[in-house]
Amino acid sequence: MKKVYGSAAEALDGLLFDGMFIASGGFGLCGIPELLLQAIKEAGTKDLTFASNNAGVDDFGIGILLQTKQVKKMISSYVGENAEFMRQYLSGELELEFNPQGTLAERMRAAGCGIPGFYTKTGVGTQIAEGKEHKDFNGETFIMETGLFADLSIVKAWKADTTGNLIFNKTARNFNPPAAMCGKVCVVEVEEIVQPGELDPDKIHLPGVYVHRIIQGQHEKRIEKVTTRKKEDA
Amino acid sequence: MPWDREQMAARAAQELQDGTYVNLGIGIPTLVSNYIPEGVEVTLQSENGMLGMGPFPYEGEEDPDLINAGKQTITELPHTSYFDSAMSFGMIRGGKIAMAILGAMEVAENGDLANWMIPKKLVKGMGGAMDLVAGVQRVVVVMDHTNKAGESKLLKACTLPLTGTGVVDRIITNLGVLDVVEGGLKIVECAEGVTEAELRAATEGTIVG
């Protein structure tokens, strides 16, 4: 069982095809699979559907695939940081399906747990509920949402062992575990790969059963909004 | 004189209950954390996967792996915990978060809230707002009472796409505080120097009591 690959391009070899559906981890630019996104850009795969909370910024994250017009549709909760996205959407070049953030996360998690649909209060009485099954439980109305079963998951973790057990760092965990769970194949990029036994088994955030291919690389880890306080404020 | 942004945030901070878990939205709600009353301990949730949100880092100590839901760099506290987005919204949807303090574009007299989209103009998305208003126990809105043209944002019915129906409990504006009650909006208090007549005149929605 070989899970460790030498580069992002090698790890994606044989997995990409035009029109495929990819689930990506990350929140804003935090914890995004930046190396795998770059490799998908270089592979030139087209007509992609992405489930990702955000669409990156114009020149980083999924934004780099918008520049090359490789994305056909986005399933996201918030896309406000990306001017090129807005331009393509308003001109009709790009499809957009807004999902409430928690609904998007749960649709991914559900798919990874073999759950094809679930009921939620989120969005009842709004545009989001249009055309969806409504059902009452204990006097309250819920709508049915479906699991998001992706062809491929691309995620970023902090550390992996060679069997794919993953540990994330702080709020860079975000959508990465549910995105990892919902794909037929999951490719992970990490900052460090260690040997089995070097990670505390009791502190694994996502077990290797969900992980098929791993690469290690250098990450830019761009910060979207640097906010600080001065020492004298303390 | 109507309240300014800081005074609205300070007033909203009076809503915080000791020992609770609270989610603060982007904008004026973020300022609320500067006015948490003495003796009140609240744990702030950031829906990207954190409980126990700390202040902004000192210059040079920013961590790209540690941001809030507004994508700003922040810090952790001794009692902080991290989790993934599915668990984060599990605790929101599951009613474990006591209160959300959010901004709004429009609120209706029946508690309907619109704060995520202006068709053909502003298409950014709802983020976690729909999940929050559907899931948390109490929703407090902080907003300007009127728009730039002077028209009321507290309406009989919302005109923009909704974030949630009948979800708002209390509205804090630059003119005062109102509750959503049976039949309409009830004035709780007026901002210093604002008369009840002025507050009523600036409100399109039905005021009861």
Side-chain angles (χ1 to χ4, degrees):
Chain A
M1 179 185 63
K2 172 184 175 288
K3 292 191 178 182
V4 178
Y5 287 70
S7 69
E10 273 179 45
L12 291 171
D13 187 42
L15 300 180
L16 300 177
F17 58 93
D18 291 348
M20 73 186 301
F21 175 25
I22 301 175
S24 174
F27 181 93
L29 302 182
C30 181
I32 59 171
E34 53 182 89
L35 305 173
L36 292 162
L37 289 168
Q38 182 63 37
I40 292 169
K41 178 184 174 176
E42 283 157 18
T45 319
K46 287 194 169 32
D47 297 325
L48 300 171
T49 295
F50 265 96
S52 170
N53 188 54
N54 312 95
V57 294
D58 284 341
D59 64 342
F60 199 59
I62 290 176
I64 63 171
L65 300 174
L66 294 169
Q67 285 182 340
T68 51
K69 309 249 173 83
Q70 287 171 262
V71 182
K72 182 181 72 177
K73 179 179 176 182
M74 291 292 309
I75 304 172
S76 302
S77 86
Y78 189 83
V79 296
E81 319 292 350
N82 192 314
E84 176 61 15
F85 185 102
M86 203 62 68
R87 193 199 64 72
Q88 289 187 22
Y89 172 66
L90 292 173
S91 71
E93 296 165 52
L94 183 67
E95 286 175 59
L96 171 60
E97 178 187 323
F98 273 130
N99 278 197
Q101 194 172 144
T103 295
L104 179 60
E106 189 64 14
R107 292 184 72 192
M108 292 179 179
R109 194 198 72 86
C113 298
I115 297 170
F118 59 93
Y119 294 93
T120 176
K121 274 190 294 187
T122 303
V124 171
T126 75
Q127 282 185 3
I128 296 303
E130 288 169 15
K132 289 177 183 162
E133 184 198 330
H134 287 58
K135 187 166 177 161
D136 287 2
F137 294 87
N138 303 317
E140 266 193 287
T141 303
F142 294 73
I143 54 172
M144 192 183 77
E145 298 282 1
T146 54
L148 272 179
F149 296 85
D151 296 311
L152 173 68
S153 301
I154 56 170
V155 305
K156 156 78 171 50
W158 181 42
K159 285 185 185 181
D161 70 20
T162 56
T163 71
N165 290 317
L166 301 182
I167 293 180
F168 301 89
N169 189 41
K170 299 177 182 161
T171 58
R173 191 181 322 185
N174 57 59
F175 272 84
N176 282 297
M181 292 164 70
C182 75
K184 286 186 198 124
V185 183
C186 173
V187 183
V188 183
E189 58 182 73
V190 300
E191 295 173 44
E192 188 182 355
I193 299 175
V194 300
Q195 292 304 309
E198 291 184 49
L199 300 178
D200 182 344
D202 229 3
K203 297 197 168 63
I204 303 295
H205 295 141
L206 189 74
V209 67
Y210 284 108
V211 174
H212 304 94
R213 300 183 183 190
I214 315 158
I215 57 156
Q216 180 178 338
Q218 288 294 317
H219 292 84
E220 176 184 339
K221 298 217 276 188
R222 193 183 295 186
I223 297 176
E224 202 160 333
K225 293 177 189 169
V226 175
T227 43
T228 59
R229 60 189 158 136
K230 296 230 188 301
K231 286 257 184 198
E232 50 266 35
D233 292 350
Chain B
M1 278 286 287
W3 284 326
D4 63 19
R5 287 165 57 90
E6 297 289 337
Q7 289 168 314
M8 288 160 72
R11 177 59 189 81
Q14 301 299 316
E15 302 294 318
L16 300 171
Q17 302 285 315
D18 187 39
T20 57
Y21 295 85
V22 175
N23 185 292
L24 302 178
I26 293 164
I28 298 174
T30 303
L31 302 174
V32 171
S33 63
N34 298 329
Y35 297 97
I36 298 170
E38 196 77 21
V40 172
E41 279 184 30
V42 293
T43 300
L44 299 179
Q45 196 227 25
S46 190
E47 67 267 24
N48 54 320
M50 179 184 198
L51 278 168
M53 185 169 39
F56 294 146
Y58 293 123
E59 283 174 294
E61 294 178 9
E62 311 87 35
D63 181 346
D65 287 347
L66 184 44
I67 64 168
N68 64 18
K71 285 124 188 171
Q72 298 169 308
T73 46
I74 48 161
T75 56
E76 63 184 23
L77 298 169
H79 67 290
T80 292
S81 58
Y82 298 110
F83 33 84
D84 68 54
S85 300
M87 176 172 275
S88 184
F89 284 92
M91 66 185 73
I92 290 168
R93 205 184 297 108
K96 311 300 179 187
I97 303 296
M99 189 193 295
I101 303 180
L102 302 167
M105 297 171 182
E106 295 176 347
V107 176
E109 63 187 38
N110 64 352
D112 286 0
L113 168 70
N115 74 350
W116 75 280
M117 184 193 209
I118 304 172
K120 296 195 169 83
K121 267 171 109 178
L122 180 82
V123 189
K124 292 188 168 189
M126 71 291 284
M130 283 192 184
D131 309 273
L132 280 160
V133 299
V136 303
Q137 293 164 30
R138 182 170 168 80
V139 173
V140 174
V141 162
V142 182
M143 66 192 292
D144 281 330
H145 209 99
T146 55
N147 64 20
K148 285 183 183 121
E151 297 156 344
S152 183
K153 294 165 76 168
L154 279 58
L155 305 171
K156 290 191 186 304
C158 291
T159 63
L160 295 169
L162 296 179
T163 308
T165 55
V167 292
V168 176
D169 295 293
R170 176 164 281 193
I171 311 157
I172 298 171
T173 78
N174 52 327
L175 300 185
V177 181
L178 301 96
D179 277 347
V180 177
V181 297
E182 193 69 39
L185 303 171
K186 183 170 183 289
I187 297 172
V188 176
E189 65 185 79
C190 297
E192 286 92 11
V194 173
T195 66
E196 193 178 313
E198 286 169 331
L199 199 154
R200 282 175 180 270
T203 307
E204 186 208 281
T206 308
I207 291 181
V208 298

